[in-house]
Amino acid sequence: EHDPCFRALTTALPSVVSVPPAQWWGMYGKHLPTLSKIAQCVLAQPVSASAAERNWSIYGQVKSKVRNRLGHHVADRLVYCQKALHLRDKLQCTSYRQTPVE
C-alpha cells in the first residue's frame, strides 16, 4: 500500500498541464504539504536579474583584457570558486541567519 502523499501526487500530476495553477493548488495543495512548503519557499524568491548581474560581474573580473586567453571552462571554474568562497564567508558570519525550510 502506498503512502497517501504518493497517491495524491499520482492523482494530481496528470492535471498539471490542463488545470490553471491556482485551481490546481486549490484542489491538490492541501494533500501535498511538503511540496506546498517547497513551492512557497521557491515562489517567495524575488524576481530579478540581480543574481545574473552579480555572476556577470564576477565573470568580468575573472575574464578581463589581461586574461582574454583564459578558456571558458577555466573561467567558469574560477567564477564557481569565487561564489563558493563568498558563500562560505557569508555562512561563517555570526550575524547571518539562514531561514530553515520546514
Side-chain angles (χ1 to χ4, degrees), residues 55 59 62 70-82:
N55 200 35
Y59 214 100
V62 166
L70 199 60
H72 290 296
H73 181 68
V74 175
D76 288 345
R77 291 179 74 174
L78 287 171
V79 169
Y80 175 81
C81 289
Q82 174 124 359

Side-chain angles (χ1 to χ4, degrees), residues 10-67:
T10 55
T11 304
L13 280 179
S15 62
V16 164
V17 292
S18 60
V19 177
Q23 185 180 350
W24 189 93
W25 280 106
M27 292 185 329
Y28 301 110
K30 62 184 170 265
H31 303 293
L32 301 165
T34 304
L35 182 61
S36 295
K37 286 184 183 194
I38 292 170
Q40 288 172 6
C41 290
V42 169
L43 295 173
Q45 299 296 315
V47 177
S48 74
S50 300
E53 293 285 346
R54 278 191 299 276
N55 200 35
W56 293 332
S57 174
I58 294 170
Y59 214 100
Q61 294 167 13
V62 166
K63 195 161 183 173
S64 63
K65 286 184 178 184
V66 176
R67 292 186 242 160

